[in-house]
């Protein structure tokens, strides 16, 4: 039976899910607080570009958009680490030819909105702020952010794809026995730009995710199609150095000269940008349940906002959509069972990727500058190549497979123990290529 | 300098803190949503009686109320376990003469309100629902629950002692980077009664906390001054058996006959009570920060609601008040430093008692029925008696000392390791009284 479905939040996940729902013949109202992105740029402090990997591609493939998006995506084959002396070290993400992709958030979102609108079954409504949620109907009370005009939208099913500070989730939080956690790390982030070179070309290698690991903090850079890079400084709010300790333009220049000397000459507007651009916080949201009867469901960041350090935020949200669609095939009109199965199946994997994302911050900002750690990664890649049936590195499982996140996390913990033993082998630096890993693993 | 201070929530902690603040010359408005407890009984699903231990007594001693409250308190010297066959096993809480105390929540609260009112500096206002909080002023917007009349109360300092679902904390949650968690366990609880015997006497031993440990769930009973006991059934919401599976009066009787046969004859109204009394949920709340500038602070359950299984909810809240008062002595008029120190010092101990309370549920409902566990407790008591300088059991640290909770938890973890080794000694059952524990501990 076809349903009237309201999807609140026309970000990436809400737009994708609306396409899927519309194609199944449901009548979808896709509602967004911000103006139409295709006419007015969103200035909401969300990241400019993001890392698309296998889970994201699979979702786009399901709606036939993979090839189109690949056109605007820039492959990044590994991490390029920049030392304080400007020395470069490259660490591949996977096997030869495997890469994650830098994609513009707004371009991707526009494409998804266009496809949704072309469906015929999806209508978009912008600049509508959700003021109140009635879970039992379900209904949402909206107010137009410009005119103040208000309306109530009732439907059969209500989907909350309204992000980390979800209004739908807020309403669910007021029901009894709703588990909820919001956890902010001690770091915030600020976006900065490396503009294209004078000839329009990228100023540094465009096929890598660049990292300036500095122990307790880091700078990263992802390429944009226009030749620029978007840099993100992940930095403590307090302490020395921190957003609090770097206050003036002179502070900024002195800090970059000392800490990121190789990149400073490529960032002519750094001081102005640093002063003008907002500092944003980084939150992990965990909650349960994700659904309310057969009426309401949370998806994407609304159910499980994570920190960006595994590049899996959008990928995880897109995988939610794939899981939801598979369950629609399985349970048809039984939305109660569909929703219950969705939340039960998906929750442990959301927990796992939230944990992995928090852990990976330490790896990115600190460990990747450690030769021993890089050797370990090299050995893991070596084992994977020689014995692909026995060993898949954790990063590969997350970025280049569909192995459920919690299963990957569990396998990764076992690998951690094995690798600790291997790294303790005397002279491992010189002998690692000759070891009998099959025997070691069987022990 | 004397301040105008608003304390929102006239429960145990808010009333106690108001007494302390009033005695220091501050002008205190103590505001409560419910009617005046001294005229109308509160029916809010809070427990009828609670366990007072050393930390609670110290707080009452500071305001000179210890002796008066001891008059209405019933000492409980240990746990009395009831097996399914009706066999009784007694396990003392501490050394000879040490006990925790069963105290009526409402009687204690009334006494604290009376003292607060007698101070002269504290005025009480009832039936005021907090509709809005302005942290920056600080101010609260109140509406009278009967008349609908509204008012705004502005003050120098605002204290949120308004419990697990605090309105003040809700406002703080909307500020940036506020960490927050609410976690409901899978069990709820329901209160039931063992009335006084025909001669007015207690039907079972009044000087014990009675437990019917049944693996995944349990029944407990605490004595009341009128000869009755208040029983609490801690029971899963779902599964077999659970609140969901026990639905009719016949179910209740059959379940109690099978599971608690020794107590059923003493509970003539069990079926009616079970049907009428509410099922309440059990939540742990963790959050940080607890204060906002030099203006607002959370205290008691508003800052750290915990499950009741260590009997420390009120004791922890009272200890908050003691810590706050000690900091007033230290920092005088510097409320900014006072609040910052309060939250930094106190937060880890709130985390520790929250963890301990969750762990102790397993001990109470399951382990206390295990002979090996009881032997372990006996050995610990024996070591404590022989070498009080080397060993204080965890329960003793929590209930009979002022050792900060986190320190007790850390010491308890070390003891856990030692005891695992001791319990693995062959024939420990027969040899434990002869072992050289001093030597064992030094190893």
């Amino acid at each position: 039976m076809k349903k009237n479905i309201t999807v609140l939040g026309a970000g990436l996940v809400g737009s994708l899910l609306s396409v899927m729902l519309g194609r199944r013949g449901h009548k979808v109202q896709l509602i967004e607080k911000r103006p139409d992105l295709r006419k007015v740029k969103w200035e909401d402090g969300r990241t400019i570009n993001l890392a698309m990997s296998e889970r994201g591609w699979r979702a786009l493939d399901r709606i036939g958009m993979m090839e189109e998006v690949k056109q605007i995506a820039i492959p990044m084959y590994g991490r390029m680490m920049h030392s304080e002396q400007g020395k470069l070290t490259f660490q591949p993400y996977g096997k030869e030819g495997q890469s994650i992709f830098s994609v513009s958030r707004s371009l991707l979102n526009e494409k998804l909105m266009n496809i949704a609108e072309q469906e015929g079954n999806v209508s978009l409504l912008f600049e509508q702020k959700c003021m109140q949620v009635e879970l039992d109907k379900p209904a949402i009370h909206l107010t137009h952010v410009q005119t103040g005009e208000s309306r109530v939208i009732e439907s059969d099913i209500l989907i909350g794809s309204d992000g980390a500070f979800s209004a739908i989730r807020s309403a669910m939080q007021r029901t009894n026995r709703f588990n909820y956690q919001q956890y902010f790390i001690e770091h915030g982030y600020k976006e900065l730009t490396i503009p294209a070179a004078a000839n329009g070309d990228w100023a540094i290698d465009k096929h890598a995710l660049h990292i300036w690991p500095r122990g307790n903090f880091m700078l990263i850079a992802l390429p944009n199609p226009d030749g620029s890079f978007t840099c993100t400084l992940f930095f403590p709010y307090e302490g020395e150095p921190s957003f609090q300790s770097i206050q003036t333009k002179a502070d900024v220049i002195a800090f970059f000269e000392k800490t990121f000397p190789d990149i400073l000459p490529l960032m002519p507007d750094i001081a102005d940008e640093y002063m003008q651009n907002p500092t944003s916080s980084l939150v992990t949201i965990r909650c349960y349940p994700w659904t309310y009867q057969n009426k309401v469901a949370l998806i994407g960041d609304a159910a499980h906002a994570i920190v960006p350090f595994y590049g899996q935020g959008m990928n995880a949200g897109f995988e939610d959509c794939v899981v939801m669609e598979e369950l629609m095939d399985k349970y048809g009109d039984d939305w109660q069972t569909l929703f219950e199965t969705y939340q039960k199946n998906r929750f442990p994997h959301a927990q796992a990727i939230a944990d992995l994302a928090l852990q990976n911050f330490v790896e990115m900002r600190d460990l990747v500058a450690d030769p021993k750690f890089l050797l370990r990664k090299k050995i893991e890649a070596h084992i994977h190549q020689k014995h692909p049936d026995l060993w898949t590195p954790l990063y590969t499982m997350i970025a280049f497979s569909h192995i459920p996140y919690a299963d990957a996390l569990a396998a990764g913990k076992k690998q951690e123990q094995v690798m600790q033993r291997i790294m303790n082998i005397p002279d491992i630096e010189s002998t690692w290529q000759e070891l009998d890993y099959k025997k070691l693993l069987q022990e």
Side-chain angles (χ1 to χ4, degrees), chain A:
Chain A
M1 215 178 72
K2 303 312 171 197
K3 299 283 187 187
N4 284 311
I5 302 181
T6 303
V7 177
L8 185 67
L12 296 167
V13 171
S15 298
L16 171 64
L17 186 68
S18 296
V19 174
M20 290 173 168
L21 292 168
R23 292 210 175 155
R24 286 168 175 263
H26 300 297
K27 214 167 149 24
V28 180
Q29 276 267 28
L30 176 54
I31 291 162
E32 173 57 47
K33 187 167 63 185
R34 296 162 293 189
D36 188 341
L37 174 64
R38 296 161 299 180
K39 297 170 195 153
V40 185
K41 253 192 131 181
W42 286 349
E43 296 190 345
D44 54 354
R46 302 303 308 273
T47 56
I48 287 172
N49 46 27
L50 32 79
M52 173 91 70
S53 55
E54 184 51 34
R55 292 166 209 262
W57 290 122
R58 179 166 70 160
L60 291 179
D61 196 26
R62 282 180 86 98
I63 60 161
M65 270 189 67
M66 186 166 76
E67 287 314 315
E68 187 184 338
V69 176
K70 281 238 160 122
Q71 303 300 316
I72 58 162
I74 302 174
M76 301 181 288
Y77 295 98
R79 296 162 170 166
M80 184 71 84
M81 274 79 74
H82 297 241
S83 78
E84 283 185 5
Q85 292 73 39
K87 201 192 136 220
L88 299 183
T89 312
F90 182 75
Q91 186 219 339
Y93 277 130
K95 288 188 287 198
E96 181 95 35
Q98 276 185 327
S99 73
I100 60 171
F101 293 79
S102 175
V103 177
S104 153
R105 177 189 294 273
S106 57
L107 270 179
L108 177 59
N109 213 140
E110 281 179 33
K111 282 182 188 291
L112 287 167
M113 280 182 186
N114 285 336
I115 305 263
E117 212 155 44
Q118 287 157 20
E119 280 315 305
N121 282 327
V122 182
S123 59
L124 283 83
L125 206 54
F126 291 96
E127 300 188 87
Q128 298 289 338
K129 187 171 182 197
C130 178
M131 309 303 286
Q132 197 194 325
V133 178
E134 295 178 80
L135 297 172
D136 276 307
K137 287 189 171 171
I140 51 176
H141 297 239
L142 302 170
T143 298
H144 194 283
V145 295
Q146 303 287 345
T147 66
E149 198 192 330
S150 63
R151 66 170 90 193
V152 179
I153 297 190
E154 234 182 289
S155 48
D156 301 317
I157 289 163
L158 172 63
I159 306 278
S161 53
D162 50 340
F165 301 99
S166 168
I168 312 271
R169 193 189 60 228
S170 275
M172 288 171 68
Q173 202 182 318
R174 286 189 289 275
T175 62
N176 192 22
R177 298 181 67 212
F178 186 79
N179 288 336
Y180 176 71
Q181 181 180 27
Q182 62 183 45
Y183 171 73
F184 290 86
I185 63 170
E186 303 289 317
H187 296 66
Y189 71 91
K190 192 187 277 288
E191 292 197 323
L192 303 164
T193 314
I194 303 175
N199 64 359
D201 222 349
W202 288 268
I204 52 177
D205 183 352
K206 71 181 268 206
H207 287 306
L209 189 154
H210 294 263
I211 311 182
W212 290 258
R214 294 295 182 267
N216 186 37
F217 61 92
M218 68 177 179
L219 182 74
I220 68 167
L222 275 76
N224 298 316
D226 67 357
S228 69
F229 279 80
T230 301
C231 300
T232 312
L233 176 64
F234 294 98
F235 209 33
Y237 275 96
E238 282 120 35
E240 188 62 54
S242 70
F243 284 121
Q244 196 180 48
S245 77
I246 310 286
Q247 290 279 2
T248 67
K249 291 189 184 184
D251 291 345
V252 176
I253 299 293
F255 172 66
F256 269 69
E257 261 173 358
K258 185 173 156 233
T259 320
F260 311 113
D262 66 334
I263 202 68
L264 181 61
L266 305 178
M267 303 174 87
D269 299 328
I270 172 78
D272 285 331
E273 270 202 322
Y274 186 97
M275 304 311 280
Q276 279 158 26
N277 292 356
T279 302
S280 305
S281 56
L282 292 157
V283 71
T284 301
I285 306 261
R286 305 173 197 254
C287 68
Y288 200 83
W290 291 1
T291 66
Y292 182 80
Q293 298 170 9
N294 58 353
K295 294 171 184 168
V296 182
L298 302 174
I299 195 162
D301 285 0
H304 51 75
I306 63 179
V307 292
F309 305 112
Y310 228 113
Q312 286 292 313
M314 172 206 51
N315 290 287
F318 278 16
E319 201 174 53
D320 289 346
C321 298
V322 171
V323 168
M324 187 80 96
E325 220 192 9
E326 285 170 350
L327 293 172
M328 289 177 207
D329 290 337
K330 191 163 177 191
Y331 294 110
D333 214 38
D334 181 1
W335 288 84
Q336 178 95 34
T337 308
L338 193 164
F339 278 0
E340 275 171 20
T341 313
Y342 159 71
Q343 68 180 2
K344 266 191 201 152
N345 288 0
R346 198 70 188 134
F347 174 72
H349 304 307
Q351 291 281 71
I353 194 61
D355 292 341
L356 283 165
L358 286 164
Q359 288 166 24
N360 217 44
F361 188 24
V362 181
E363 178 166 328
M364 285 180 84
R365 74 186 195 217
D366 199 359
L367 294 181
V368 292
D370 174 358
K372 193 103 186 178
F373 178 81
L374 292 174
L375 173 63
R376 188 190 134 166
K377 290 284 158 184
K378 222 183 258 178
I379 295 173
E380 283 196 63
H382 176 76
I383 306 177
H384 178 47
Q385 209 189 355
K386 287 218 149 183
H387 308 289
D389 49 324
L390 291 179
W391 192 281
T392 306
L394 179 56
Y395 190 89
T396 299
M397 288 190 271
I398 299 297
F400 304 127
S401 91
H402 304 292
I403 296 169
Y405 290 127
D407 302 356
L409 176 60
K413 281 184 182 162
K414 276 193 207 154
Q415 292 177 348
E416 176 75 33
Q417 292 171 349
V418 176
M419 286 310 298
Q420 275 182 10
R421 277 175 44 207
I422 290 177
M423 295 307 290
N424 281 333
I425 295 174
D427 295 325
I428 182 71
E429 287 84 354
S430 51
T431 59
W432 66 272
Q433 280 170 304
E434 281 99 53
L435 292 177
D436 183 349
Y437 290 101
K438 192 156 190 178
K439 207 175 132 219
L440 277 169
L441 295 184
Q442 274 155 358
E443 278 170 22

